[in-house]
Amino acid sequence: METPLQAPNQPSESLRRQVRSAILWRSGTQILGQLIAWTSTFVVIRLLSPSDYGLVAMTGVVLLLLSMLNGYGLANAVIQHADVGRREIAQVFGMLLLLNGGLALLQVLAAPLVADYYHEPMVAQLLRVQALLYLPTPFASLAYALLARTMEFRRQAQVNLLSSVAGAIAALVGAYGGLGVWTLVLAPGVLFYTRAIGLTIAARSLMWPSFRFAGAERLARFGGLVAASGLLNFAQSQADVLIAGRWFDAHQVGIYTTALFLTQVFANKFVPPLNEVAFSAYARLHQSGGDMAGAFPGAVRLVMLAAMPFYFGVAAVAEPLVHVMLGPKWLEAVPIVQLLAIAMPCWTLQTLFQPAIDAAGRPGVTAGTTAIGAVLLPVAFLVGARYGIAGIAAAWIVAHPILLAIVAARALPVLGVPPGRYLRAIAPPVLAAAAMALLVFATDGALPVLPPVARLSLLVAVGAVTYLGALVLFAPASVREAIAMVRARG
């Protein structure tokens, strides 16, 4: 009988140390990697045009749609099931190869149809080249799963840092070399391939795939549920760009998607690595009968302590921020940035539920809530589009609080978390950040005319002091909890 590759069943204190180490490595290198990536990104934004970003945003909808089928759920199944054997891992690798090869071919064939939908012939050329991005996915996904099973995030973090540097260099070379929109294809390509090679070496995961799938039904079933949830999530997460690309030209779409990029920096760059660690930790807790009801609110509170000042701060300093980070030609994005930044806390809170629900073996709950969002959000964006590109941004503020309430109502009972406990977890950072934003707005209105850099620096300093002061005065327990996590006493 085959010996399963057991995930170590270690005591709670050991798991805490592993989680802390994983967060520090994953988040620490993520911050360093993103500082490098952001430096190159904001340089490239100044060199390229809004139309370039609009075209790539249009292709990005297709990439994200097909990536929902790339087998990410199969990799999660390897993590979630404690008794996966070598034979099943080889079967997962075979599935990943077939899926991603098929997706690459499908994208090439669909490219002309997508270009016709957007009325942009260039979209077809971009999609054909971007099909190459699917080829390294099986290698990266399998290696990631094997490392995550044992909470080995240190090597993952090192590889991610290396790939971020490689992607940043490629972006700068492309932009200064005059590649234009192709810069935005070259950079992620270099990042994806570098990451796949690095993770495969780190995990020593190169193996012969198996294309005989008998006995892998449970992994395929779990992966299918995650993929179904992902497809429904696509409908709600990309409906805005899909609708905007049809109603507005590439310039306006570029303005909107760049504003979205600026406001989603925290949620897109820092929350995903935290969720990766959280999924592995929640899975271990679930397998050992641990207290997920106690772990989840604390994890949410710690994430929102960092997220809330970012979102409300971006809304408060949008004009000098856009001027400094993107340049004067992007100033028409300021009202879009403000609207989106106000809506981002609700969106971030939604994403924090998925790793806990999936780790509890209930991906169907996530699929159900995303199905609701797949109807609610497109309708909101269609209505908003009637009022211009800013109307689509305003739809975020209307629809996402409603969707968050629905998600919480369905997910909290599964995790055993009372609604009052959840609200008490998020209240301190929300209230402190709101007070910070009000004071920053008032300060900005009282300032004399200053250069954008000086104005932004002063407002950021006022915001930081206000936020930290509000937390220390009114939520000292949250501050102590965050410090204890860093010092390994929590």
Side-chain angles (χ1 to χ4, degrees):
M1 183 174 180
E2 183 181 11
T3 302
L5 299 179
Q6 296 282 356
N9 186 16
Q10 297 173 326
S12 178
E13 189 59 39
S14 176
L15 180 57
R16 287 195 189 98
R17 288 196 298 268
Q18 283 184 297
V19 170
R20 174 181 172 271
S21 175
I23 289 175
L24 292 178
W25 267 102
R26 195 69 176 84
S27 298
T29 55
Q30 182 79 6
I31 292 171
L32 179 57
Q34 288 308 317
L35 288 175
I36 296 170
W38 290 339
T39 301
S40 68
T41 296
F42 289 121
V43 170
V44 171
I45 285 175
R46 289 174 173 271
L47 295 174
L48 301 184
S49 69
S51 296
D52 292 332
Y53 283 89
L55 288 171
V56 171
M58 294 174 187
T59 67
V61 173
V62 178
L63 288 169
L64 185 59
L65 171 61
L66 296 184
S67 71
M68 296 297 104
L69 304 173
N70 70 2
Y72 173 77
L74 293 171
N76 272 1
V78 172
I79 303 170
Q80 201 271 340
H81 291 83
D83 57 345
V84 175
R86 296 184 183 279
R87 175 173 171 271
E88 288 178 304
I89 290 176
Q91 290 174 320
V92 166
F93 189 32
M95 293 179 195
L96 289 170
L97 289 171
L98 291 177
L99 281 172
N100 285 275
L103 292 175
L105 179 60
L106 178 61
Q107 182 165 303
V108 170
L109 296 175
L113 299 177
V114 178
D116 288 343
Y117 171 82
Y118 287 123
H119 307 299
E120 291 284 356
M122 186 64 182
V123 166
Q125 299 180 43
L126 293 169
L127 283 172
R128 292 188 185 102
V129 176
Q130 288 171 322
L132 296 173
L133 296 177
Y134 297 102
L135 302 185
T137 298
F139 302 90
S141 296
L142 182 67
Y144 157 74
L146 295 179
L147 290 172
R149 276 175 60 82
T150 55
M151 299 288 290
E152 179 51 79
F153 287 94
R154 178 176 179 175
R155 283 182 285 176
Q156 262 196 54
Q158 292 168 339
V159 171
N160 288 338
L161 178 59
L162 174 64
S163 60
S164 295
V165 172
I169 292 172
L172 292 173
V173 170
Y176 281 107
L179 292 183
V181 69
W182 290 106
T183 301
L184 305 177
V185 177
L186 172 66
V190 171
L191 187 151
F192 278 34
Y193 277 86
T194 304
R195 183 171 185 265
I197 294 170
L199 286 177
T200 299
I201 294 172
R204 299 178 181 176
S205 58
L206 194 60
M207 63 175 66
W208 286 107
S210 173
F211 298 104
R212 295 181 179 181
F213 302 129
E217 291 82 3
R218 61 173 184 156
L219 299 180
R221 188 180 307 111
F222 185 94
L225 286 172
V226 173
S229 175
L231 286 172
L232 293 170
N233 185 59
F234 164 84
Q236 67 178 43
S237 66
Q238 293 297 300
D240 53 349
V241 179
L242 193 63
I243 292 168
R246 181 72 174 180
W247 282 52
F248 307 106
D249 61 27
H251 176 85
Q252 289 178 292
V253 174
I255 291 293
Y256 172 81
T257 54
T258 302
L260 196 61
F261 159 77
L262 194 61
T263 54
Q264 286 185 331
V265 160
F266 186 92
N268 280 344
K269 303 302 182 182
F270 294 117
V271 173
L274 292 176
N275 273 348
E276 289 175 13
V277 176
F279 177 72
S280 297
Y282 290 144
R284 295 276 290 279
L285 279 174
H286 179 67
Q287 292 160 10
S288 62
D291 182 21
M292 288 185 66
F296 180 72
V300 170
R301 179 167 54 247
L302 286 172
V303 172
M304 297 310 288
L305 280 172
M308 288 309 306
F310 175 83
Y311 293 137
F312 282 8
V314 167
V317 301
E319 184 179 346
L321 179 68
V322 170
H323 197 290
V324 172
M325 302 304 293
L326 306 182
K329 68 181 177 181
W330 292 90
L331 284 176
E332 61 185 293
V334 168
I336 311 294
V337 168
Q338 292 173 321
L339 290 170
L340 292 172
I342 293 171
M344 282 304 135
C346 291
W347 185 68
T348 301
L349 286 168
Q350 292 170 41
T351 65
L352 296 177
F353 279 103
Q354 183 170 351
I357 294 297
D358 288 352
R362 298 285 299 277
V365 174
T366 303
T369 52
T370 51
I372 297 170
V375 175
L376 173 64
L377 293 178
V379 170
F381 293 135
L382 281 170
V383 173
R386 301 175 64 87
Y387 301 94
I389 199 71
I392 291 183
W396 277 74
I397 297 178
V398 175
H400 274 280
I402 298 173
L403 185 57
L404 174 60
I406 295 171
V407 171
R410 289 174 54 86
L412 289 176
V414 174
L415 301 174
V417 179
R421 186 175 185 179
Y422 178 71
L423 291 174
R424 287 192 298 272
I426 64 177
V430 171
L431 295 176
M436 174 203 73
L438 290 174
L439 184 59
V440 169
F441 271 123
T443 302
D444 194 22
L447 288 177
V449 177
L450 294 173
V453 173
R455 179 183 169 196
L456 178 62
S457 300
L458 179 59
L459 293 177
V460 168
V462 170
V465 171
T466 303
Y467 180 69
L468 292 175
L471 284 179
V472 170
L473 288 175
F474 302 111
S478 297
V479 177
R480 288 195 298 269
E481 182 183 22
I483 295 173
M485 175 65 192
V486 174
R487 299 176 63 182
R489 293 181 182 174

